[in-house]
Amino acid sequence: MHVLIRSRNGLLCLFTFCLLSLFCVTVSPAAETRPNIVMILADDVSWNDLGCYGHPSIRTPNLDRLAKEGLRFDNAYLTISSCSPSRCSVITSRYPHNTGAPELHTPLPEGQVLFPQLLRDAGYYTVISGKQHMGPYALTSFDHVSKGKGPGREEDWVPILKKRPKDQPFFCWFASTDAHRAWQKSKQTQPHQPEDVVVPPYLIDSPETRKDLAQYYDEISRLDYFTGQILDELDAQGIADNTLVLFFADNGRPFPRCKTRLYDSGIKTPMMVRWPKVISPGTVTNSLVSTIDLGPTFLQVAGVKADPRMQGVSFENLFTDPKAKVRDYAFGEHNWHVFKAHERMVRSGDWLYIRNALPGQRNLCVESIDFPSGEALWERYEAGKLNKHQKDVFLKPRPREELYKVSKDPHQFENLADKPEYASELARLRTVLDQWAEQTGDTIPDNPTPDRNQRPGEPKPGEFEHREMPGDARDAQKVNQPGPVLAD
């Protein structure tokens, strides 16, 4: 086939189609010049439950290696500590109340921006394997979709890397079900012992709680094993140097006062990234980042323009300057997750501010009631033997506002909102949260989703209408299209 091409001087030049095609292949960006990206997503793991964050007994040698060979984030925050809304927020780079999927199990509605699709449009081979939990629309942005294999759904990750197209850069969304309940035994690692467990001060130090935590540790170690398999495979293929590997979790550990909650035990995430071509080994950043920033960061390193609907910002500058500032504020929310909820949070420097629109109820998640550690709390509560740090899930009413200085109160036990000496800080963060709510179109629903499960000691909930996956998003018609996000 022949084509005519107009040159600079206006002359028409004749080329054959085959030669032109060869030329185009030659000058197009080589796959290896753009980084490959592997995102490893843990399920229900709190930020300090890894060795690289100082845990003395959880065995995570491969995740520790990831931190040792790359950059560890000490101030990374989720937008919500709830499974599917957290994932939908990440893939869209939008706050949960803006995605159309702000509550547990709600599918992401069509029309939302998906950063893997932007990578795919730019020539990346895109894969999702393991836990999905975002609904069918989100999966349209991936070339290869797998539910994963094995107890934690990690066993096909290395085979996927082996079989990938070798002429394209790739993006992998590898999502484990570790460490989500129910616990499953691991053949890859040795079990942890109850006597080696570190019991958080808001739980009961009992044999039941220790066994529960030890089995949670086992699941983290299984995920760690498969993370090591990925790192080894990248080395074996000779592509580790230009492959960005990032690890984080969707929400905090599945224990009382952790999962769904806006304290650091629930909303703060472990995050490490390795990219040997760019990131110096063994670096640490204290800069504030949010998981809403992941999409813009991946797009920037791939040379792809972010969509204007995205509300996050790239933190690529931290890869070469860990002291750089990315944002002044990180925002989070707590919406329906089996039980009715509406909380909002802002983290700023050393301060954490939480506002609760429904203070007249206990702040519960399923893990606060069922399972051994929750049952131990309720037994001690009914016997009147709780200490002050163990009473949080039983408070009714709850504070409408909470303010904590995190460096002096790492577990967020002492609420400073009523202390006159902190009035100016409280006023500042109230204003910041008000501005964010206005600019992102956040509102308190007139008819919030009711409880699905019965609260202990209370009547059974009425007719339950919340529609869960698979199916259409119940709140798809409520998607907000806000103006610019609050400047960070």
Side-chain angles (χ1 to χ4, degrees):
M1 177 179 176
H2 295 82
V3 293
L4 291 173
I5 304 293
R6 185 174 298 277
S7 65
R8 288 184 179 179
N9 60 12
L11 297 177
L12 294 177
C13 302
L14 189 66
F15 288 84
T16 65
F17 182 79
C18 61
L19 289 176
L20 182 61
S21 299
L22 179 63
F23 176 75
C24 290
V25 170
T26 302
V27 299
S28 64
E32 62 269 17
T33 64
R34 291 182 289 175
N36 307 304
I37 302 169
V38 176
M39 189 186 83
I40 303 171
L41 177 52
D43 197 4
D44 294 11
V45 174
S46 286
W47 73 275
N48 52 356
D49 286 340
L50 305 177
C52 58
Y53 283 96
H55 199 285
S57 55
I58 296 180
R59 294 189 291 275
T60 55
N62 297 294
L63 292 167
D64 298 347
R65 171 190 168 192
L66 190 63
K68 185 178 180 180
E69 296 177 356
L71 174 65
R72 188 188 78 209
F73 293 78
D74 281 359
N75 278 298
Y77 286 84
L78 302 158
T79 58
I80 190 167
S81 182
S82 178
C83 306
S84 58
S86 181
R87 294 161 191 264
C88 290
S89 179
V90 169
I91 203 170
T92 61
S93 185
R94 290 168 64 76
Y95 291 106
H97 65 271
N98 296 133
T99 65
E103 299 181 344
L104 179 67
H105 303 317
T106 308
L108 191 68
E110 293 187 12
Q112 287 285 329
V113 60
L114 306 171
F115 82 79
Q117 183 63 53
L118 300 181
L119 290 173
R120 189 182 183 188
D121 292 343
Y124 272 72
Y125 176 70
T126 58
V127 173
I128 185 169
S129 175
K131 184 171 180 177
Q132 298 160 7
H133 209 188
M134 295 178 287
Y137 170 66
L139 303 183
T140 63
S141 61
F142 296 97
D143 293 299
H144 178 77
V145 176
S146 168
K147 291 184 178 179
K149 296 181 179 179
R153 302 197 194 177
E154 307 109 335
E155 292 183 9
D156 71 345
W157 293 357
V158 167
I160 285 172
L161 290 176
K162 289 180 181 291
K163 296 176 183 178
R164 65 179 176 84
K166 300 303 190 291
D167 59 347
Q168 292 177 261
F170 60 86
F171 168 74
C172 294
W173 178 301
F174 286 153
S176 174
T177 56
D178 292 331
H180 195 287
R181 295 176 185 270
W183 311 136
Q184 302 175 78
K185 291 184 178 180
S186 175
K187 63 183 179 181
Q188 290 84 14
T189 61
Q190 293 296 315
H192 293 79
Q193 300 305 312
E195 58 267 26
D196 297 327
V197 158
V198 177
V199 180
Y202 41 81
L203 298 181
I204 304 299
D205 191 347
S206 67
E208 295 81 7
T209 300
R210 284 184 167 272
K211 182 180 178 181
D212 205 14
L213 283 165
Q215 292 174 311
Y216 162 71
Y217 292 5
D218 292 346
E219 298 226 341
I220 295 175
S221 287
R222 179 169 54 217
L223 173 57
D224 177 85
Y225 170 84
F226 284 101
T227 299
Q229 294 292 296
I230 289 175
L231 299 180
D232 291 345
E233 180 61 26
L234 296 174
D235 288 338
Q237 293 189 24
I239 58 173
D241 191 54
N242 197 31
T243 299
L244 186 159
V245 180
L246 184 140
F247 173 91
F248 75 109
D250 66 343
N251 52 252
R253 68 178 75 89
F255 286 81
R257 205 181 183 269
C258 300
K259 186 174 181 176
T260 74
R261 304 299 297 279
L262 297 178
Y263 303 131
D264 280 4
S265 52
I267 200 72
K268 189 173 183 178
T269 182
M271 186 183 292
M272 303 88 71
V273 59
R274 188 190 77 167
W275 185 10
K277 185 178 179 180
V278 174
I279 299 174
S280 298
T283 51
V284 177
T285 180
N286 289 309
S287 294
L288 188 63
V289 300
S290 169
T291 52
I292 204 172
D293 303 329
L294 289 172
T297 302
F298 294 150
L299 292 171
Q300 184 171 11
V301 302
V304 180
K305 186 177 181 181
D307 188 286
R309 290 171 291 175
M310 291 181 165
Q311 296 168 307
V313 295
S314 172
F315 54 72
E316 185 195 22
N317 56 337
L318 296 178
F319 296 168
T320 53
D321 181 10
K323 295 183 179 180
K325 177 180 282 191
V326 175
R327 54 170 58 245
D328 292 320
Y329 309 107
F331 300 94
E333 51 195 88
H334 177 192
N335 303 317
W336 183 91
H337 184 115
V338 178
F339 296 104
K340 181 169 55 177
H342 192 287
E343 289 184 289
R344 297 299 183 256
M345 173 216 85
V346 57
R347 178 68 188 264
S348 174
D350 199 22
W351 293 96
L352 173 67
Y353 171 66
I354 299 172
R355 181 184 295 164
N356 189 346
L358 302 172
Q361 61 184 25
R362 288 172 172 156
N363 203 335
L364 299 177
C365 64
V366 171
E367 288 78 8
S368 300
I369 300 171
D370 299 325
F371 309 109
S373 53
E375 291 169 351
L377 264 179
W378 279 94
E379 289 173 3
R380 191 72 64 90
Y381 167 73
E382 290 170 351
K385 296 181 179 180
L386 292 179
N387 65 41
K388 64 178 182 179
H389 298 322
Q390 297 163 342
K391 293 180 179 179
D392 175 84
V393 299
F394 306 101
L395 293 180
K396 181 182 178 180
R398 295 192 59 81
R400 185 173 292 274
E401 293 182 297
E402 299 175 60
L403 179 69
Y404 301 98
K405 188 161 188 171
V406 179
S407 62
K408 293 185 177 181
D409 186 14
H411 293 290
Q412 293 93 65
F413 285 143
E414 185 181 359
N415 184 8
L416 304 176
D418 293 332
K419 305 286 185 182
E421 59 266 40
Y422 301 109
S424 61
E425 197 61 50
L426 180 65
R428 179 179 76 90
L429 294 178
R430 279 175 177 165
T431 299
V432 169
L433 196 61
D434 287 343
Q435 290 176 340
W436 173 79
E438 180 179 357
Q439 293 181 2
T440 63
D442 188 28
T443 58
I444 302 171
D446 293 330
N447 297 298
T449 304
D451 295 345
R452 183 182 69 184
N453 291 11
Q454 183 176 6
R455 295 171 181 263
E458 298 185 13
K460 291 183 178 181
E463 184 178 354
F464 183 75
E465 299 179 351
H466 188 78
R467 287 163 50 186
E468 300 183 354
M469 296 182 193
D472 296 329
R474 182 174 58 88
D475 288 332
Q477 71 276 16
K478 297 182 182 179
V479 179
N480 297 310
Q481 298 293 337
V485 73
L486 184 64
D488 294 323

